[in-house]
Amino acid sequence: MFTPSLTAVPNATPLLHPASSKRTYLTQLILTGILLGSFLSGCAAHKQQAQPEDQATEPSLNDTATAGTTTAATQAESAAIEPKPKPASFSQEELLELLSAEFAGQRQQFERARDGYLAAAERTGNPQIAARAAQVSQYMGSYPQAIQAARIWLAAEPDNPEVHWQLAQLYMSQRLFLNALEHLSVLQDLTGDSHYELLASTASLGAESDRKKLLDALSQRLVTTPNNPSLWTAAGILEQSLGNNTSALNHYNQALTLAPDSLPAAVFKARMLASGADKRAALTWVDQVLVQHPDHKGMEVLRARLLLNTDQTEAARQAFDDLHQSYPGDHTILLSLGLIEFELELNQDSYNHLLSLLETGAHQPQALYYLGQLSERLGKPDQALSYYAQVEDSREFMPAHLNAAALLAEQQGIQSAVDYLTALRQSHPDKHNELMVLEASLLTDYGHFQDALDRYTRLIDDNPNDAKVIYYRALVAERMNNLPLMEQDLERVIELQPDNADALNALGYTLVDRLHRIEDALPLLKRALVLRPNSPAIIDSLGWAYFKLGDYQQAEPLLQRAFTIVADHEIAAHYGELLWVTGAQQQAREVWRAGLQDHANSAIIRATLQRLKVEMDAE
């Protein structure tokens, strides 16, 4: 059976690439089995290549790891495409030209090699030279020349499935999906093999207009070829990419009706279900797929993650442990196992697995970051600091070094933490601003408000339109009781980001609670609530504004709703006061008690009780 290579699919690794490979050009040619001697002697080596097993997606504790359409290539094996060996004879001039092109390639004169082979292919029409010209052109990323060479090859061997597959790949790489479809159709006629899923997977990442055109073309083929499960699956992939999940599911089901053991249809259906809201339905389907394909690694990994997403954390841990035993060399599975154990507070098991991962050199930032957290849990702050300090560029960089600075501040004082972050800024100038924000945040936490304000001001001087930093400075200004600066900064944030609900709420609440300008605050708080209708903080702010206006009828449902969402001590202070002044004094006490459970030393509740002269233990 003819099984194609995937080397020309976008995002796939090309057979050859001068910019990324450290091998010599000649060595690469030897490894591909396509040497000049193959053309001269008519002997071409054929080498099978196995497609790597499905790899688990990089996990995090909240990673669903199931969304999106992925290429069907992970389900296939691939073979290196080479021209069929045929005896060839060349004139002395042609032979010299071919040798010149070959030696140019060995000297990494790639353009000369490409042009030489292409010129020879155009003159001779020889399919082997044309195939060689196509390969060298593709190697260089010269896709128009690769297509030109492949078409010369096609003219010489119109019934050769390899040239149709090569052209299909090249057209896919150029997003000429309808052209690719034509060659895949011929390939099916010649070999009986369908590869429409790969075409649809590639197209699903392209422009919406291209996806719709390809879907229309596939739908037309389904009218005349309704019994092809590959066509139904491909149409389902495109429907899913367009957000038509019901149609996609119907297409996958039709493919499975025609071919119950169709792995591509089963896998794409599983991934689509897993990306939806009903994770348990997805899990049920994945279990069914694994009955037919018990050794499918991708489905095993998906099942483990679905267990995690359905809060079956212990079962997920066992599933990942089983996967680790089956695939001990898969570092992503090992990371997943360590993170689940971290979540379950199986601290020593998690530590051991993440330490093993660290020793492999894979997923270093994640391993170091969580080893640091585990060391803190295990009461080893110095070891934790060592792990955090090693985290380099990654999404874990900032939280790791913030944790390190916090440890230093706790153990050695705030100046030690500031010195640490200052040194880090010097060694990572590309992260200067982010680290300065961390430094200012830590100074704020330790009550060094003026130092924090000075750092934010320096950042704003360098970038006066950085809304995030301006917002942070406003919060510090409020802590310093510098309300004019706070108001100025929040107004600037809203000017830069009119839909910034946090800034709208912060300014609105300050106008109500600190500046007593309630009429100015109302439109800001109403806008914030439209932007974030379920935010308890915003609901509370608007309710408090109505309370301050004496409009208890509008205030009560808002404050009650905010308190129902979260029994925060500040919300409890406001809601309790409204209940008290409207006569529901016992209920007010219950609300305040709930707020004190949330925050036992709540200054706002204590101040409210003192102002209202309330004794909490009074009946």
Side-chain angles (χ1 to χ4, degrees), residues 352-579:
N352 292 339
H353 282 129
L354 291 172
L355 187 61
S356 296
L357 182 65
L358 187 67
E359 292 168 354
T360 70
H363 301 295
Q364 293 287 285
Q366 295 94 330
L368 288 165
Y369 177 63
Y370 284 102
L371 282 168
Q373 291 199 65
L374 286 163
S375 296
E376 286 196 71
R377 283 186 186 177
L378 296 169
K380 300 177 180 179
D382 291 339
Q383 182 174 278
L385 184 61
S386 174
Y387 284 130
Y388 289 141
Q390 296 178 64
V391 176
E392 290 296 335
D393 289 354
S394 62
R395 65 184 179 186
E396 287 77 24
F397 180 86
M398 301 308 292
H401 289 289
L402 177 60
N403 287 359
L407 277 174
L408 284 170
E410 182 179 334
Q411 293 182 308
Q412 302 175 27
I414 184 63
Q415 189 56 51
S416 179
V418 169
D419 292 343
Y420 174 84
L421 291 173
T422 300
L424 199 62
R425 279 193 280 118
Q426 293 171 350
S427 60
H428 293 79
D430 58 315
K431 298 191 182 312
H432 175 276
N433 290 0
E434 294 172 274
L435 290 167
M436 182 81 85
V437 168
L438 283 190
E439 194 174 317
S441 174
L442 198 62
L443 286 164
T444 302
D445 290 343
Y446 277 79
H448 294 256
F449 300 133
Q450 187 59 54
D451 289 337
L453 191 76
D454 291 343
R455 283 162 173 76
Y456 286 134
T457 299
R458 285 160 54 189
L459 289 170
I460 293 168
D461 288 343
D462 291 337
N463 186 358
N465 295 323
D466 190 331
K468 180 176 70 174
V469 175
I470 298 170
Y471 179 76
Y472 292 155
R473 187 174 71 172
L475 299 185
V476 175
E478 189 273 337
R479 298 281 294 274
M480 299 173 69
N481 205 34
N482 188 346
L483 299 185
L485 178 59
M486 178 189 186
E487 184 175 358
Q488 169 193 307
D489 279 351
L490 290 176
E491 286 176 346
R492 177 60 176 154
V493 172
I494 294 168
E495 179 185 351
L496 292 168
Q497 299 177 342
D499 292 338
N500 188 320
D502 289 325
L504 290 164
N505 181 56
L507 180 55
Y509 182 74
T510 302
L511 291 171
V512 171
D513 198 62
R514 305 287 297 277
L515 298 173
H516 311 293
R517 288 160 48 193
I518 302 167
E519 295 295 343
D520 292 338
L522 282 175
L524 298 172
L525 295 173
K526 289 177 180 178
R527 278 173 58 195
L529 190 59
V530 170
L531 291 166
R532 205 178 294 166
N534 297 315
S535 166
I538 296 172
I539 297 168
D540 171 70
S541 295
L542 185 57
W544 189 237
Y546 283 124
F547 175 81
K548 287 288 191 178
L549 285 173
D551 189 346
Y552 301 156
Q553 187 174 359
Q554 291 203 71
E556 183 170 6
L558 288 166
L559 293 173
Q560 182 184 39
R561 182 179 169 216
F563 183 76
T564 301
I565 295 173
V566 56
D568 174 82
H569 68 110
E570 291 190 41
I571 297 174
H574 295 156
Y575 184 38
E577 183 166 348
L578 179 140
L579 290 169

Side-chain angles (χ1 to χ4, degrees), residues 64-71 204-205 240-241 267-268 270-272 274-276:
T64 63
T66 57
T69 300
T70 56
T71 176
S204 70
L205 305 175
Q240 182 182 345
S241 77
V267 167
F268 278 107
R271 288 170 175 165
M272 190 188 77
S275 68

Side-chain angles (χ1 to χ4, degrees), residues 285-297:
W285 174 249
V286 169
D287 284 337
Q288 292 179 41
V289 175
L290 285 169
V291 170
Q292 285 190 300
H293 306 280
D295 297 323
H296 192 282
K297 181 183 177 184

Side-chain angles (χ1 to χ4, degrees), residues 7-21:
T7 56
V9 178
N11 303 321
T13 304
L15 286 174
L16 301 170
H17 197 296
S20 60
S21 177

